[in-house]
Amino acid sequence: MDTVSALDATTPEISDDRLQSLFSAMERDGYCCIPDFLTPASLMTMQAFVASSVRSSQNEYVVFRGSEAVKGSGLDELAQSTRFQSIFSRLYVASRNKPAPAVEFYQLLRCLTGKGMMQHSLNFHYDSYLVTALIPIVIPTTGRAGDLLLVPNTRPVRGTYAGNLVDKIMVDKIRQKSLRTRALNDPASFTRIKMVPGNLYLFWGYRSIHANEPCDPDTVRATALYHYFDPHADSRLKARLRR
Ligand SMILES: O=C(O)CCC(=O)C(=O)O
Ligand SMILES: [Fe+2]
C-alpha cells in the first residue's frame, strides 16, 4: 500500500449527499462540523507533537507554517489525503459552479499559550482563502476554552484584489476596536464554535469575519488550519504590493 491510500484508510469518506448538507450548513449557519474526523490514534500523535512543541517554546505561543514544519505529526500527511482534499474541491464546485483548481493548502498549526495569549486572540479578520478548515488538537478543559467567534458570510468573493483589500483594511484597522468591544460586551451576537478535539469545522474564511477568544495563559489551545483557494492569486496588484 502506498502512503496516500494508507492515509485515506483512516480519513472518513464524505458522500456527495453529505457534502451537500455540509455546504448548506455553511451557507445557512456559517459553519459545519464533521464530528470525530480524526481517529483517536491520529489525534494522539498530533497532541504529542503539540506537547513537545510547547515545551520547546518554553510555554509561549508558537505557530508552524506549511507541511514541512509539522512533519511527523500526521498533519502533513492529512494534507495529502485525497479524501480530505476532495471535501475542499467539492465545496468549491458547490459554491462557484465551476471546476475546482488543484487542492493546495496554506497550512498552519497554532499553539496558543502563555503570556502572549492576548496578543494572538480577538484579532478579527477575513482570511485570504475561500475555505477554512479547522481541526482542534488541544482545547483547554479548565478556564476559558478559546472558542471561535464568527460573523459569517458578511461579504461575497470580490471581483478584484483591490476590493478585497478595502474589506480587509476596514476590519483590520477601522472596525477592529468595535468588534473587540462587542466580543467582550455582547458575545452572544457572534456565531460561536465550541471546539472538540478531533472534529473538523469548515467555514468560508474569506467571506466571514472571525477570531479566537483567549484562553487562560497556563493552558494550551492548539488548532490545525487548512486554507484553500486564494481568489486573487493571479492579481497583478497583489504581486506588486508583495514585492
Ligand atoms: O486558531 C483559530 O481558532 C483561528 C485562526 C485563524 O482564523 C487563522 O489562522 O486564519
Ligand atoms: Fe482566519
Side-chain angles (χ1 to χ4, degrees):
M1 219 190 308
D2 65 32
T3 31
V4 171
S5 55
L7 214 140
D8 262 350
T10 61
T11 304
E13 169 128 57
I14 306 299
S15 71
D16 286 341
D17 282 352
R18 174 105 185 264
L19 198 283
Q20 273 311 313
S21 71
L22 295 171
F23 171 75
S24 305
M26 289 168 74
E27 292 290 311
R28 187 187 61 232
D29 309 329
Y31 75 98
C32 68
C33 174
I34 305 176
D36 300 320
F37 189 76
L38 298 178
T39 61
S42 305
L43 180 59
M44 271 173 64
T45 307
M46 294 169 190
Q47 287 174 335
F49 185 93
V50 168
S52 83
S53 306
V54 167
R55 237 178 284 124
S56 318
S57 75
Q58 264 93 52
N59 300 296
E60 276 305 318
Y61 178 82
V62 58
V63 61
F64 299 87
R65 291 192 178 81
S67 191
E68 275 297 306
V70 289
K71 217 175 162 144
S73 69
L75 291 164
D76 51 337
E77 292 180 330
L78 184 58
Q80 301 299 320
S81 154
T82 49
R83 285 187 178 175
F84 185 59
Q85 292 181 357
S86 106
I87 297 173
F88 295 80
S89 50
R90 285 181 290 164
L91 284 175
Y92 180 97
V93 173
S95 73
R96 315 259 300 166
N97 291 310
K98 51 186 176 187
V103 177
E104 286 162 12
F105 293 113
Y106 175 55
Q107 176 179 352
L108 296 174
L109 173 66
R110 298 178 76 225
C111 306
L112 203 59
T113 187
K115 292 188 299 293
M117 168 74 58
M118 220 25 247
Q119 201 187 320
H120 301 281
S121 300
L122 297 182
N123 291 324
F124 288 95
H125 64 280
Y126 288 119
D127 289 338
S128 301
Y129 299 83
L130 181 66
V131 184
T132 302
L134 190 159
I135 307 177
I137 307 301
V138 178
I139 294 297
T141 51
T142 59
R144 296 172 296 176
D147 296 345
L148 190 77
L149 300 181
L150 280 171
V151 191
N153 305 339
T154 45
R155 65 164 180 164
V157 173
R158 296 298 183 194
T160 64
Y161 179 68
N164 167 60
L165 206 54
V166 170
D167 295 333
K168 272 171 138 349
I169 292 168
M170 281 299 288
V171 170
D172 291 352
K173 309 283 180 218
I174 318 274
R175 297 181 60 195
Q176 192 61 227
K177 230 179 133 183
S178 75
L179 283 160
R180 283 190 190 171
T181 308
R182 180 173 148 194
L184 298 172
N185 297 340
D186 187 17
S189 69
F190 290 87
T191 298
R192 172 179 296 271
I193 309 187
K194 288 203 169 290
M195 291 186 284
V196 177
N199 287 1
L200 172 68
Y201 302 89
L202 291 152
F203 58 96
W204 304 116
Y206 179 100
R207 300 180 47 213
S208 306
I209 297 172
H210 59 279
N212 60 277
E213 285 188 329
C215 51
D216 294 342
D218 59 344
T219 62
V220 175
R221 174 197 187 274
T223 47
L225 294 133
Y226 294 86
H227 298 98
Y228 167 63
F229 187 63
D230 175 357
H232 309 295
D234 298 332
S235 156
R236 276 155 58 200
L237 173 60
K238 180 173 181 173
R240 273 221 314 272
L241 293 176
R242 292 275 151 109
R243 269 212 311 253

